[in-house]
Amino acid sequence: MLNIKRLMCNPLQENCYVVSDDSREAVIIDCGAYYDEEHDALDSYIREQQLTPVRLLATHGHLDHNFGNAAIYRKYGLKADICGEDQDLLEHLPEQAASLFGIKIAEEQPPTGRLLKHGDIVNFGHHRLEVLQTPGHSHGSCLFYCADEHTVFTGDTLFRMSIGRTDFPEGNWKEMQTSLSVIIAALPADTVVLPGHGPQSTIADEKRCNPYMQAK
């Protein structure tokens, strides 16, 4: 059984997830923690649950999903694993901060971790997450799918009744359409969708009610 803690982070209300099982090994997905209290909440949960974080995963390279990478590296020694197509985004977070938010990131950013690709497996504890590449919101956007627990972490590809924007420089509407088709084909209807923003959903609900999914 997976234990999943959602922490809503930063001004964009991004969802950071701490995912663990009875082994007490954990993966952190999309650490967008920006404020001190968000870092404290994350660290407190890990400490109280006696977890050992073993991987830091990024569904894509946008800043709001990676604000906390330097803090995670400093405390746990973990580098963010990301699909190779978004490596450049991840390695230029200070430039994103300046251009998109008008803020300065003074803290030195850690090096990139493992470069992921479609079909890769992330193992932790007694579970595994499969990497499903879903470009569209960014060139390197991906999902992390736990087939055993019927759960998928969708980042900014799929939201409850919506999808991620494709009008950023790294976005592509045609790629997003293809990715939505991949999601429909690959994920069972009872899969729980845990997105990068907003509430959870299921693949069944999205296929039935999400206008972008219905069009597929």
Side-chain angles (χ1 to χ4, degrees):
M1 176 180 175
L2 287 181
N3 301 309
I4 301 172
K5 175 67 172 180
R6 181 183 74 146
L7 299 104
M8 192 178 298
C9 297
N10 69 58
L12 295 184
Q13 297 187 314
E14 179 268 345
N15 292 329
C16 168
Y17 297 98
V18 182
V19 187
S20 61
D21 62 17
D22 60 1
S23 73
R24 300 196 185 278
E25 286 192 349
V27 296
I28 301 170
I29 300 176
D30 285 356
C31 187
Y34 177 69
Y35 298 109
D36 288 343
E37 55 265 33
E38 294 167 353
H39 292 288
D40 291 344
L42 176 62
D43 292 339
S44 293
Y45 175 78
I46 290 171
R47 184 175 59 255
E48 290 165 2
Q49 299 299 313
Q50 300 180 338
L51 302 179
T52 300
V54 294
R55 300 286 289 271
L56 172 61
L57 306 176
T59 59
H60 63 293
H62 287 155
L63 178 64
D64 56 317
H65 291 251
N66 295 280
F67 269 122
N69 290 358
I72 295 297
Y73 180 67
R74 186 173 61 250
K75 189 170 184 67
Y76 302 107
L78 300 177
K79 306 170 187 176
D81 300 341
I82 194 168
C83 286
E85 291 82 354
D86 269 14
Q87 181 180 6
D88 189 64
L89 279 176
L90 192 65
E91 293 180 349
H92 290 86
L93 293 182
E95 290 85 349
Q96 284 194 59
S99 63
L100 296 179
F101 296 93
I103 62 176
K104 182 178 181 180
I105 295 181
E107 189 171 17
E108 183 178 355
Q109 295 300 300
T112 302
R114 304 178 194 182
L115 297 182
L116 305 172
K117 61 183 184 303
H118 189 82
D120 280 353
I121 301 298
V122 176
N123 292 297
F124 70 101
H126 306 302
H127 287 83
R128 47 188 269 158
L129 300 173
E130 181 181 0
V131 178
L132 303 177
Q133 284 196 255
T134 54
H137 180 66
S138 69
H139 296 312
S141 287
C142 73
L143 316 183
F144 296 108
Y145 173 49
C146 184
D148 289 343
E149 302 290 346
H150 305 275
T151 300
V152 64
F153 301 88
T154 58
D156 284 3
T157 296
L158 179 63
F159 302 133
R160 179 172 177 81
M161 305 307 150
S162 189
I163 60 172
R165 292 174 59 174
T166 60
D167 59 340
F168 294 125
E170 307 83 16
N172 185 291
W173 169 239
K174 289 186 177 180
E175 286 186 341
M176 178 66 84
Q177 289 180 301
T178 299
S179 293
L180 294 177
S181 296
V182 169
I183 291 171
I184 290 173
L187 302 182
D190 64 346
T191 303
V192 175
V193 174
L194 296 173
H197 301 269
Q200 71 180 49
S201 186
T202 66
I203 291 296
D205 285 348
E206 296 310 303
K207 289 174 68 174
R208 182 172 61 251
C209 301
N210 188 325
Y212 298 98
M213 299 286 272
Q214 287 181 317
K216 303 312 299 169

